């Protein structure tokens, strides 16, 4: 068996400790060791962003980090969004504005958007497009993802937001 | 009893928010790679670095010594089991693991199974393969040359020619061409590209040694068809095979065929008696699974001087790579390519297509396309613009002059299809109005005066989807019907299962809406399931925009069968004759006394508690729907681009899409499909290319080289619709998922060419990258 080292990370507020091979990627650690399969793998080359998580609040592609590099850090994955089954604004935005189809890019898209809104509560469309440009989506053409982020921004700022796609909510 | 309204129950035409979102926004989707079974081991593939080489030997000894490696499987092992080759969906066969020689770079040569995915990868790296390189054939024209090496030694035919296929009347078309004032010709290549759904292919094969049953979790767009194929190929009894296609992270045609990774995983699970997971890497996905297009097309149009298009003549060479693994109905070697007469009322047309083998990955599959319709639509819409240029006519005016008139439907085309319904001028007029066409023409004239490059591109496409009538369309002999099974529980809640499989289209919501509309039961009380062959009725799967046209029809008809029985029970409850009842405002109502009524929920309870004599209990039905015809969605797309003369980069300033897909089930979902399809069309027109160098090395085999548009370069779209229902579909729906990908590439390309047309540019092949535009500008001597 290959040499292993100890990794201690906090994921969604819960501390985890495990022994892993030094070469194990953070995304495999999350998916295979912690069974948090909401973080996805869509490429081998750090292009697609399906594996995006927040490391100390900063979006990182978890296929570009070794698990050992996350040692001592505070991670947020899609499983950490919302509360007691309820949706937080970014999740509600994606649902209301039809910002997802197959759902594969969605966790990464929501996390990178959450990080954007933490820094910039009222981003322009161009700022949103720039912020999500490290994350690929093959289904939506991004237009409704932009609206989803705008919905969440408004909800966070004002406490309410109205859906605009498909003739409004139904 | 007050009337229920459509919006109360989420019936047709309402933007019901999707049920499936609840799990996806919480990270609780279950994709194949998320499946983890007790005792599961992992499979990695060894791939060929050469495009054409003889296999001199495979040494697995080092691989077997890698800690954790359990088995190495080679083509020889499969040969002994009779599984070294598998049939394709196009009357060909494909190697599962190479024997004799390899025929394309990335081809599957061996499989390593190990305790972990890392050990499997280490083992794969340790397999030593001895190759002897052979001459490589990349160009399909060269492949048909006399001196070309014959690639396929397993075939009786000693050539690289696969098939010849034609449609239409050659002599009559030639005669019309000879008698016409104007003839234009254009060669164009629809490049090799790849659907690249964000989730790659994957499976977990789980052989149950006790019950001798094989369960395969699989990224499948067609689970039932795959079950039957597994039964036929592997010789396992079909009731002992269960395919589960759980959440699928996009398909776009990529997940229609069976790939070697699936087969060898099943073999490995049989061999080891343990579950085996194979998860494709992105490079493997792009390099070896279903590529699309690679159609080398020659188009000719004949017209009168005043712009009446009279005939179309097309000659095409299709490059299928090493194996003809096109996934399409078996009687159509070039798919529905003969839809290429498009939206136009022609006197005659003739199309011929030949297929060729090359040392490239096998295919070609229908990428967000109903079997070669994208190629056909691009060909006609591009060539009509070439004709407009030749005649000096406005492209919109030329199209309108030649549209099939609304009163001519059903319309039989010279290439043999019967279009169900259409109003092409209606969609175009709306698009012209939305884009502000007249103002744009004025602006363009002014800009041209200043030497600025602005282009307007139009595409007025007609699609053919909903395969299809069983007598015409089959997959491996199985007629292309589709199905729905509806069961209403005593308390009026519904479970429905469908034969098609969603990969993001939202079937769990939209099919529930069809049932809500037909049964008067709120959409929230209806669960739609799919993708498990042990529970869902047999269906042919989701591709070619066939879900709504075929399974959607089955769903409406199954609900109507339920309603027919329910009406008898309602009559019993109301103590009236069945004939005195009508289904109105979502309830059975006594004619002339609409307040005397029973809802489906009332009836459902009675179906289990108070059935009239002579009627069996329960309330359920199943329908296997064989459509009488295809459906023919259409629309007009208009694209406006500005070109930077210094760099050759083109930017989409405005894009208007007017689609007509007949009756709309969920406007929000339809709009989402259109946004996504337009973006794939944009990607194909601007960046997506799977290319090979002379040695057969792929130059688009990962996401650093195979470019996918990001949110920054993707345009904003303005969408609208016209509604021309299909006369033969139970709810008038036509299907929409592929229209935007079929119709839009021509709009993008036509816009770029229009911008360059003052400088004599008539065509540039896709993808139109900045450097191609820059070179065209340089050649025209107008570089900044």
């Amino acid at each position: 068996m290959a040499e292993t080292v100890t990794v201690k990370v906090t994921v969604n507020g819960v501390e985890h400790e495990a022994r892993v091979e030094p070469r194990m990627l953070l995304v495999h650690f999350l998916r295979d060791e912690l069974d948090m399969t909401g973080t996805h793998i869509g490429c081998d080359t750090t292009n697609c962003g399906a594996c995006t998580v927040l490391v100390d609040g900063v979006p990182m592609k978890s296929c570009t980090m070794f698990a050992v590099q996350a040692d001592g850090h505070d991670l947020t994955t899609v499983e950490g969004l919302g509360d007691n089954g309820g949706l937080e604004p970014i999740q509600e935005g994606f649902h209301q504005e039809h910002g997802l189809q197959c759902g594969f890019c969605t966790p990464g898209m929501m996390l990178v958007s959450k990080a954007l809104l933490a820094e910039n509560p009222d981003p322009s469309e161009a700022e949103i497009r720039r912020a999500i440009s490290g994350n690929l989506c093959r289904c939506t053409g991004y237009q409704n993802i932009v609206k989803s982020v705008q919905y969440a921004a408004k909800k966070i700022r004002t406490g309410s937001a109205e859906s605009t796609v498909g003739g409004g909510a139904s | 009893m007050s009337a229920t309204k459509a919006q109360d129950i989420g019936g047709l035409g309402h933007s019901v928010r999707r049920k499936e979102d609840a799990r996806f926004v919480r990270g609780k989707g279950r994709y194949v790679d998320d499946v983890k079974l007790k005792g599961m081991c992992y499979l990695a593939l060894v791939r060929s670095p050469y495009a054409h080489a003889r296999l001199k030997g495979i040494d697995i000894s080092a691989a077997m010594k890698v800690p954790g490696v359990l088995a190495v499987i080679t083509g020889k092992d499969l040969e002994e089991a009779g599984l070294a080759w598998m049939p394709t969906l196009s009357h060909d066969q494909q190697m599962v693991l190479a024997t004799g020689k390899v025929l394309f770079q990335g081809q599957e040569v061996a499989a390593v199974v190990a305790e972990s995915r890392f050990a499997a990868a280490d083992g794969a790296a340790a397999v030593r393969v001895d190759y002897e390189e052979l001459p490589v054939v990349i160009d399909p024209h060269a492949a048909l040359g006399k001196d070309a090496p014959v690639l396929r030694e397993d075939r009786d035919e000693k050539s690289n020619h696969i098939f010849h296929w034609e449609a239409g009347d050659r002599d009559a078309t030639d005669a019309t061409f000879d008698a016409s004032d104007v003839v234009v010709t254009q060669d164009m290549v629809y490049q090799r590209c790849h659907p690249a759904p964000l989730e790659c292919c994957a499976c977990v094969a789980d052989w149950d040694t006790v019950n001798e049953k094989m369960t395969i979790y699989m990224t499948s767009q067609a689970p039932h068809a795959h079950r039957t194929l597994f039964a036929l190929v592997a010789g396992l009894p079909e009731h002992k095979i269960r395919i589960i296609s759980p959440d699928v992270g996009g398909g776009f045609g990529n997940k229609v065929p069976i790939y070697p990774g699936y087969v060898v995983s099943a073999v490995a699970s049989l061999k080891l008696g343990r579950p085996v997971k194979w998860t494709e890497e992105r490079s493997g996905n792009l390099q070896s699974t279903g590529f699309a297009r690679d159609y080398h097309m020659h188009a000719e149009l004949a017209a009168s001087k005043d712009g009446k298009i009279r005939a179309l003549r097309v000659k095409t060479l299709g490059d299928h790579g090493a194996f003809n693994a096109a996934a399409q109905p078996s009687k159509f070697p070039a798919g529905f390519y003969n839809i290429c007469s498009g939206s136009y009322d022609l006197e005659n047309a003739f199309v011929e297509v030949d297929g060729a083998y090359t040392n490239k990955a096998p295919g070609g599959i229908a990428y967000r396309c109903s079997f070669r319709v994208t190629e056909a639509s691009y060909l006609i819409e591009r060539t009509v613009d070439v004709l407009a240029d030749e005649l000096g006519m406005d492209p919109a005016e030329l199209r309108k002059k030649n549209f099939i008139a609304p009163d001519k439907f059903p319309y039989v085309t010279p290439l043999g299809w019967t279009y169900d319904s259409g109003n092409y001028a209606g969609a175009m007029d709306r698009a012209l109005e939305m884009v502000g066409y007249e103002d744009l023409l004025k602006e363009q004239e002014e800009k041209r005066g200043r030497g600025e490059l602005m282009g307007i591109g139009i595409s007025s496409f007609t699609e053919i989807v909903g395969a299809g009538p069983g007598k015409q369309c089959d997959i491996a002999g199985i007629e292309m019907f589709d199905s729905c099974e509806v069961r209403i529980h005593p308390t009026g809640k519904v479970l429905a299962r469908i034969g098609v499989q969603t990969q993001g289209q939202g079937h769990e919501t939209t099919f529930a809406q069809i049932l809500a509309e037909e049964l008067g039961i709120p959409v929230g009380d209806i669960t739609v399931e799919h993708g498990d062959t042990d529970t869902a009725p047999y269906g042919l799967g989701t591709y070619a925009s066939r879900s709504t046209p075929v399974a959607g029809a089955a769903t409406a008809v199954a609900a109507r069968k339920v309603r027919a029985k329910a009406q008898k029970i309602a009559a019993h409850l109301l103590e009236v004759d069945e004939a005195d009842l009508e289904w109105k405002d979502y309830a059975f109502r006594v004619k002339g006394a609409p307040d005397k009524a029973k809802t489906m929920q009332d009836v459902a309870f009675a179906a289990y508690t108070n059935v009239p004599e002579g009627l069996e209990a329960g309330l359920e039905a199943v329908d296997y729907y064989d459509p009488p015809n295809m459906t023919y969605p259409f629309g007009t797309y208009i694209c406006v681009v500005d070109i930077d003369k210094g760099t050759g980069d083109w930017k989409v300033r405005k894009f208007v899409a007017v689609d007509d897909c007949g009756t709309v089930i969920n406007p929000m979902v339809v709009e989402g499909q259109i946004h996504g399809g337009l973006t794939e069309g944009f990607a194909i027109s601007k960046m997506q290319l799977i290319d090979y160098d002379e040695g057969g090395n792929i130059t688009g085999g990962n996401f650093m080289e195979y470019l996918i548009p990001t949110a920054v370069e993707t345009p904003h779209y303005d969408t609208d619709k016209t509604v021309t229902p299909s006369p033969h579909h139970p709810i008038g729906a036509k299907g929409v998922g592929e229209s935007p990908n079929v119709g839009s590439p021509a709009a993008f390309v036509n816009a770029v060419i229009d911008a360059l047309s003052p400088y004599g540019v008539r065509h540039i092949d896709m993808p139109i990258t900045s450097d191609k535009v820059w070179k065209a500008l340089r050649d025209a001597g107008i570089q900044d």
Side-chain angles (χ1 to χ4, degrees):
Chain A
M1 201 62 197
E3 178 203 354
T4 58
V5 291
T6 300
V7 178
K8 205 185 276 185
V9 291
T10 303
V11 185
N12 305 324
V14 178
E15 197 168 282
H16 297 267
E17 191 178 320
R19 289 195 68 83
V20 301
E21 282 189 52
R23 64 174 174 171
M24 177 177 269
L25 299 174
L26 178 58
V27 67
H28 287 130
F29 177 72
L30 292 168
R31 290 178 53 80
D32 296 343
E33 301 296 314
L34 304 186
D35 286 334
M36 292 186 180
T37 54
T39 304
H40 300 143
I41 303 170
C43 70
D44 324 319
T45 47
T46 309
N47 290 91
C48 82
C51 63
T52 305
V53 299
L54 302 184
V55 180
D56 304 323
V58 179
M60 295 291 287
K61 292 178 178 176
S62 61
C63 75
T64 312
M65 276 180 81
F66 293 112
V68 293
Q69 290 177 292
D71 186 54
H73 291 278
D74 191 0
L75 310 187
T76 305
T77 69
V78 63
E79 289 89 350
L81 298 180
D83 199 10
N84 292 327
L87 301 182
E88 65 176 71
I90 193 66
Q91 295 167 296
E92 190 183 312
F94 272 74
H95 175 56
Q96 286 297 337
E97 301 286 44
H98 191 32
L100 68 150
Q101 290 179 29
C102 82
F104 205 75
C105 76
T106 313
M109 284 287 183
M110 292 193 302
L111 288 164
V112 79
S113 303
K114 182 183 168 78
L116 168 71
L117 297 181
E119 287 216 333
N120 180 355
D122 191 11
S124 67
E125 173 167 351
E127 286 169 336
I128 294 169
R129 285 182 181 263
R130 176 69 57 192
I132 63 172
S133 65
N135 294 63
L136 300 177
C137 171
R138 293 293 278 164
C139 297
T140 66
Y142 305 106
Q143 196 156 319
N144 287 346
I145 293 181
V146 171
K147 286 186 175 176
S148 304
V149 180
Q150 288 169 332
Y151 178 105
K154 188 161 184 231
K155 181 87 189 257
I156 294 167
R157 281 197 322 275
T158 68
S160 71
E162 274 172 21
S163 175
T164 55
V165 304
S170 185
Chain B
M1 197 180 123
S2 65
T4 304
K5 293 193 175 67
Q7 61 262 40
D8 298 338
I9 58 165
L12 296 184
H14 294 278
S15 291
V16 175
R17 268 34 185 180
R18 299 196 326 164
K19 292 161 172 267
E20 36 276 87
D21 292 356
R23 58 183 187 272
F24 293 136
V25 299
R26 291 176 172 88
K28 298 292 181 196
R30 194 185 192 214
Y31 303 90
V32 173
D33 194 44
D34 302 341
V35 173
K36 199 174 184 179
L37 302 180
K38 199 165 174 253
M40 190 169 78
C41 40
Y42 297 80
L43 184 144
L45 291 169
V46 177
R47 296 179 182 278
S48 168
Y50 297 110
H52 195 198
R54 199 158 298 285
L55 278 177
K56 306 283 282 181
I58 301 177
D59 180 0
I60 67 167
S61 56
M64 285 304 292
K65 287 185 192 132
V66 171
V69 167
L70 300 165
V72 179
I73 301 168
T74 65
K76 260 202 181 112
D77 300 324
L78 295 184
E79 221 162 30
E80 284 159 19
L83 286 172
W85 293 78
M86 62 180 183
T88 71
L89 297 177
S90 291
H91 310 286
D92 198 356
Q93 59 173 1
Q94 174 176 356
M95 286 185 221
V96 176
L97 293 175
T99 55
K101 60 181 191 172
V102 291
L103 286 161
F104 67 95
Q105 188 181 60
Q107 186 177 338
E108 303 82 357
V109 174
V112 177
V113 190
E115 294 288 356
S116 74
R117 67 172 89 224
F118 302 98
D122 289 344
V127 172
R128 294 280 166 264
V129 186
D130 188 11
Y131 297 97
E132 177 191 326
E133 285 187 74
L134 296 169
V136 171
V137 183
I138 289 305
D139 175 24
H141 297 281
L144 297 185
K146 282 197 172 59
D147 303 330
V150 176
L151 303 181
R152 291 286 299 277
E153 293 169 347
D154 58 301
R155 294 170 82 236
D156 293 335
E157 301 88 337
K158 294 303 166 208
S159 85
N160 297 320
H161 184 255
I162 310 174
F163 65 85
H164 176 81
W165 175 83
E166 48 190 59
D169 186 330
R170 183 197 293 265
D171 294 339
T173 302
D174 287 349
T176 308
F177 265 84
D178 291 344
S180 292
D181 307 331
V182 182
V183 171
V184 291
T185 67
Q186 185 61 56
D187 288 317
M188 58 189 100
V189 179
Y190 203 129
Q191 81 271 26
R192 182 174 276 240
C193 49
H194 195 284
L198 205 53
E199 179 204 33
C200 296
C201 299
C203 73
V204 179
D206 182 17
W207 174 245
D208 176 342
T209 53
V210 175
N211 295 302
E212 298 192 320
K213 182 164 181 171
M214 178 68 82
T215 299
I216 308 178
Y217 299 83
M218 182 171 162
T219 46
S220 170
Q221 293 181 230
H224 284 97
H226 287 164
R227 184 186 71 192
T228 301
L229 289 168
F230 263 102
L232 294 173
V233 173
L236 294 169
E238 199 169 357
H239 69 297
K240 296 284 191 181
I241 305 173
R242 178 184 187 187
I243 308 280
I244 300 173
S245 185
D247 288 324
V248 176
F252 315 118
N254 192 185
K255 292 163 182 169
V256 175
I258 288 183
Y259 296 117
Y262 302 141
V263 177
V264 76
S265 298
V267 171
S269 183
L270 277 165
K271 186 179 162 95
L272 296 169
R274 291 172 62 176
V276 174
K277 178 188 275 188
W278 167 65
T279 307
E280 190 176 59
E281 293 175 329
R282 175 58 63 190
S283 52
N285 176 255
L286 291 173
Q287 291 170 19
S288 69
T289 67
F291 83 89
R293 329 289 199 248
D294 215 338
Y295 252 33
H296 303 248
M297 312 185 286
H298 174 81
E300 298 173 87
L301 276 178
S304 66
K305 279 192 294 255
D306 62 350
K308 182 74 195 78
I309 308 173
R310 299 186 59 195
L312 168 72
R313 198 160 54 193
V314 177
K315 190 169 170 56
T316 290
L317 178 58
D319 182 342
H320 288 259
F323 310 101
N324 183 6
Q328 60 203 0
S330 66
K331 296 187 190 80
F332 297 86
F336 302 158
Y337 189 56
N338 54 327
I339 191 73
C340 60
S341 57
S343 309
Y344 308 106
D345 193 357
L346 308 181
E347 293 168 37
N348 284 299
F350 177 72
V351 185
E352 57 187 323
V353 181
D354 290 89
Y357 291 118
T358 59
N359 289 120
K360 294 150 111 174
I365 55 94
Y367 165 17
R368 203 166 186 154
C369 156
S370 180
F371 318 120
R372 305 291 182 187
V373 181
T374 53
E375 292 91 320
S377 175
Y378 176 71
L379 174 131
I380 185 68
E381 288 306 302
R382 191 73 273 285
T383 313
V384 165
D385 258 36
V386 170
L387 178 64
D389 190 49
E390 178 75 19
L391 295 169
M393 252 178 105
D394 176 81
E397 188 193 336
L398 177 61
R399 284 177 169 81
K400 278 173 97 165
K401 192 180 173 91
N402 289 285
F403 280 154
I404 300 158
D407 60 3
K408 285 203 164 181
F409 292 89
Y411 174 84
V412 180
T413 77
L415 293 173
W417 299 111
T418 304
Y419 292 1
D420 57 349
S421 62
N423 179 4
Y424 302 149
M428 173 173 267
D429 286 343
R430 178 69 190 120
L432 291 171
E433 180 194 336
M434 281 171 74
V435 82
Y437 192 62
E438 294 304 320
D439 290 343
L440 285 172
L441 288 177
K442 278 186 206 131
E443 183 194 341
Q444 187 183 42
E445 199 180 328
E446 287 165 21
K447 287 200 160 152
R448 282 182 173 169
R450 296 197 295 269
E452 292 174 35
L453 302 178
M454 168 190 164
I456 308 162
I458 300 175
S459 172
S460 290
F461 65 93
T462 291
E463 238 210 314
I464 172 171
V465 305
K471 294 291 164 262
Q472 256 177 316
C473 299
D474 68 86
I475 296 283
I478 300 162
E479 296 188 0
M480 295 181 74
F481 57 82
D482 226 291
S483 61
C484 176
E485 184 185 278
V486 186
R487 185 174 302 163
I488 308 188
H489 302 319
T491 52
K493 314 296 179 188
V494 181
L495 173 65
R497 289 173 170 141
I498 52 179
V500 291
Q501 207 288 341
T502 184
Q503 311 116 42
Q505 294 89 340
H507 293 170
E508 290 162 43
T509 306
T510 54
F511 280 68
Q513 287 184 261
I514 297 173
L515 291 167
E517 183 71 30
E518 295 291 336
L519 299 172
I521 292 174
V523 75
D525 290 347
I526 301 169
T527 294
V528 174
E529 293 183 351
H530 54 76
D532 183 341
T533 58
D534 264 10
T535 56
Y538 204 104
L540 272 291
T542 293
Y543 43 86
S545 290
R546 64 185 300 282
S547 291
T548 298
V550 192
T555 302
V557 173
R560 289 171 194 181
K561 287 180 181 174
V562 164
R563 223 165 61 199
K565 179 176 180 183
Q567 183 151 345
K568 295 183 199 298
I569 300 171
H572 166 68
L573 294 176
L574 290 162
E575 296 178 338
V576 296
D577 193 88
E578 197 191 328
D580 294 334
L581 289 179
E582 59 181 347
W583 175 258
K584 204 177 167 206
D585 295 333
Y586 306 108
F588 295 106
R589 295 171 194 278
V590 176
K591 287 176 189 165
D595 286 347
K596 271 193 82 183
K598 290 290 173 191
T599 64
M600 194 60 77
Q601 289 91 335
D602 299 332
V603 171
F605 195 68
Y608 295 87
T609 58
N610 178 18
V611 204
E613 214 177 304
L615 206 62
E616 63 184 39
L619 197 54
E620 61 184 72
V622 59
D623 187 69
Y624 284 78
Y625 188 84
D626 183 8
N629 189 6
M630 312 280 187
T631 57
Y632 297 83
F634 61 91
T636 291
Y637 298 153
I638 305 180
C639 175
V640 186
V641 302
D642 298 300
I643 298 181
D644 182 323
K645 274 200 217 171
T647 63
D649 190 28
W650 54 277
K651 284 206 166 60
V652 177
R653 183 207 307 179
K654 195 172 181 62
F655 195 103
V656 164
V658 177
D659 272 275
D660 193 321
C661 59
T663 304
V664 172
I665 298 166
N666 182 322
M668 175 190 81
V669 167
V670 166
E671 190 186 38
Q673 288 290 309
I674 291 165
H675 289 169
L678 293 175
T679 303
E680 295 201 59
F682 169 69
I684 289 164
S685 67
K686 197 176 171 79
M687 58 188 85
Q688 286 185 180
L689 173 67
I690 298 283
D691 207 1
Y692 291 82
D693 69 14
E694 284 176 1
N697 301 297
I698 190 167
T699 58
N702 57 60
F703 272 174
M704 290 191 287
E705 296 176 316
Y706 187 69
L707 302 180
I708 305 292
T710 75
V712 169
E713 54 275 355
T714 298
H716 180 94
Y717 310 108
D718 294 313
T719 61
D720 201 0
K721 64 173 183 289
T722 60
V723 178
T724 310
S726 170
H728 65 76
H729 188 279
I731 61 168
K734 286 189 170 186
V736 75
E738 292 160 346
S739 293
N741 189 42
V742 166
S744 69
F748 290 111
V749 172
N750 285 347
V752 175
I753 302 302
D754 182 53
L756 300 173
S757 64
Y759 306 100
V761 177
R762 204 171 242 189
H763 180 73
I764 298 175
D765 274 329
M766 300 187 292
I768 304 188
T769 50
S770 305
D771 66 299
K772 283 188 188 172
V773 175
W774 185 86
K775 280 175 192 151
L777 290 169
R778 183 196 57 193
D779 294 347
I782 53 156
Q783 211 70 68
D784 268 353

